[in-house]
């Protein structure tokens, strides 16, 4: 009777979709079934976040159809009044006021940095809240709010809105709600998977970023022919609907649904994250936490070994990745390839090759880091290799469509590989670090710290790109990106050295193995 009374509240905590599936099956779902649901639902959730986020980069060229023949500064020559009439239609000179003015590129850069600044700022609070409340509800609110304000940005097309501050505010509010996404999904996945194959599993799972970017690019590019407003409304409605799916089906942790771990799922006697204590510097205090359920504080999370260097590395890695996310379609449409300029739609479709490369890079980085047991070495190696890739893409991307697509794929693979690794497996590893003594209520906070710091870099990159490209050249932009990639790798030097030292120590035979056998008189025996 007592067990029955205890099971009822537990059952009520289960999402309605889970209860529906169990009713159809006629029994409880297995642990692996729950894991599959978690991966699918969180994959769709964050893919929809990126699909909604990607639309701005595709629509840039429609809002600011800069003449590809003369460059950004030549907009002064063709600037006309943006007070011309036309309900919900583009201006006669092309574009959409105020973005088709002489400083249109700069305004678009400011829109990006406003979104990302609020996103980064909100991320720190989102992680703090996520470890203290129901992640399923928290994530749902974030997705529905993101869909609402993304759609309202597009509504400006039909409402004939030409106020810069309207679009600025819509993007800032969308950024605020989007900040709930990443800490939530990583925390949920971290609750269901141990460290053994986390790099590979999360590397594959992290394809949601590129899948979302590709989907968002294709949808936004296809909708442009009907009016740029649709490029925002369709992804906005999509993320809101997937948010409802998340609410119905997402099990936050095994305890919520009363799931029992399979023997082969978590058979290792090693505590999750313990093996990180050597490669990621030294473990912190060995004192036990009295209350394992106490959420870890913000400053406590910063002190977890490895959090600070990986967070700072991600600042520069994400600066590079998000510059491509927001500006690549614009750059492609305004760069002559084989002597011709591509249409906005074609440029948007071509830019998806960067994200296809990102899928491969994320899986490769996760697999390699699992195999060699060294996250920092893997991430730093990818960042250093991305420098020549960036140089070759800028120098030879204009030769042909094939060369552009191939070099774009390679660049995406090397840029997004470490970005994916750090924001997934590394964040989950550090959120379950041995110094936490089994306390899992640090996952969202640690993830938010790392990705929030990275998002500050993501805000700086597009902003600098807007100013540098308009006042100097795209060559200067790529020089900035190569410098950022170098610094990102450099910041992991201490962790790389620790991992190398650990590998060398593992490879050395023990003293007993090296000592030659001797007889009872101390003479060396022939073996």
């Amino acid at each position: 009777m007592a067990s029955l009374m205890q099971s009822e509240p537990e059952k009520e905590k289960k999402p309605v979709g889970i209860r529906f599936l169990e009713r159809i099956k006629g029994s409880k779902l297995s642990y692996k079934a729950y894991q599959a649901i978690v991966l699918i639902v969180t994959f769709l959730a964050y893919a929809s976040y990126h699909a909604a986020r990607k639309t701005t980069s595709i629509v840039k060229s429609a809002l600011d159809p800069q003449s590809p023949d003369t460059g950004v500064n030549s907009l002064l020559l063709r600037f006309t009044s943006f007070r011309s009439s036309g309900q919900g239609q583009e201006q006669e000179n092309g574009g959409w006021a105020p973005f088709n003015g002489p400083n249109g590129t700069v305004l678009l850069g400011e829109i990006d940095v406003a979104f990302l600044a609020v996103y980064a700022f909100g991320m720190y609070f989102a992680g703090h809240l996520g470890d203290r409340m129901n992640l399923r509800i928290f994530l749902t609110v974030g997705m529905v709010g993101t869909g609402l304000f993304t759609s309202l940005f597009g509504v400006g097309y039909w409402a004939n809105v030409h106020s810069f501050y309207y679009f600025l505010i819509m993007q800032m509010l969308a950024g605020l709600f989007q900040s709930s996404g990443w800490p939530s999904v990583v925390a949920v996945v971290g609750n269901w998977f141990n460290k053994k194959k986390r790099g590979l599993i999360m590397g594959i799972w992290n394809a949601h970023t590129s899948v979302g970017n590709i989907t968002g690019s294709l949808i936004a590019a296809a909708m442009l022919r009907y009016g740029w407003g649709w490029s925002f409304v369709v992804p906005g409605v999509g993320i809101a609907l997937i948010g409802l799916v998340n609410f119905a089906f997402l099990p936050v942790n095994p305890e919520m649904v009363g799931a029992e771990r399979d023997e082969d799922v978590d058979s290792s006697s090693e505590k999750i994250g313990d093996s990180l204590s050597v490669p990621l510097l030294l473990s912190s205090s060995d004192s036990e936490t009295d209350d394992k359920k106490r959420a870890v504080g913000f400053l406590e999370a910063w002190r977890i070994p490895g959090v600070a260097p990986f967070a700072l590395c991600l600042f520069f890695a994400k600066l590079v990745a998000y510059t491509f996310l927001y500006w690549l379609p614009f750059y492609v449409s305004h760069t002559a390839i084989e002597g011709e300029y591509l249409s906005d739609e074609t440029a948007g479709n071509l830019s998806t090759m960067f994200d296809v490369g990102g899928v491969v890079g994320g899986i490769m980085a996760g697999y390699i880091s699992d195999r060699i047991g060294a996250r920092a070495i893997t991430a730093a190696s990818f960042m250093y290799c991305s420098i020549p890739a960036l140089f070759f893409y800028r120098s030879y991307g204009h030769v042909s469509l094939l060369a552009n697509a191939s070099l774009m794929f390679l660049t995406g693979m090397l840029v997004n590989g470490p970005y994916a690794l750090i924001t997934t497996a590394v964040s989950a590893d550090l959120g379950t670090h041995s110094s936490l003594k089994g306390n899992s209520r640090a996952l969202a906070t640690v993830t938010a710290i790392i990705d929030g710091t990275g998002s500050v870099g993501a805000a700086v990159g597009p902003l600098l790109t807007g100013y540098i490209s308009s006042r100097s050249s795209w060559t200067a932009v790529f020089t900035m990106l190569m410098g950022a990639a170098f610094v990102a790798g450099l910041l992991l030097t201490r962790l790389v050295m620790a991992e190398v030292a650990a590998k060398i120590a593992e490879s050395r035979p023990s003293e007993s193995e090296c000592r030659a056998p001797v007889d009872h008189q101390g003479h060396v025996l022939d073996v």
Side-chain angles (χ1 to χ4, degrees), residues 369-403:
S369 69
D370 278 347
R371 290 287 294 178
I372 67 176
R375 309 287 198 211
I377 291 175
T378 304
S381 299
F382 270 71
M383 290 311 307
Y384 288 134
C385 290
S386 71
I387 297 173
L390 288 163
F391 174 79
F392 285 122
Y393 179 67
R394 172 57 183 165
S395 300
Y396 301 105
H398 66 279
V399 173
S400 67
L401 274 174
L402 179 61

Side-chain angles (χ1 to χ4, degrees), residues 129-152:
L129 290 172
D131 280 327
R132 288 161 174 79
M133 62 181 296
N134 190 314
L135 284 171
R136 180 169 60 95
I137 297 175
F138 187 57
L139 184 58
T140 301
V141 172
M143 295 177 72
V144 173
T146 297
L148 172 64
F149 292 107
T150 299
S151 298
L152 286 176

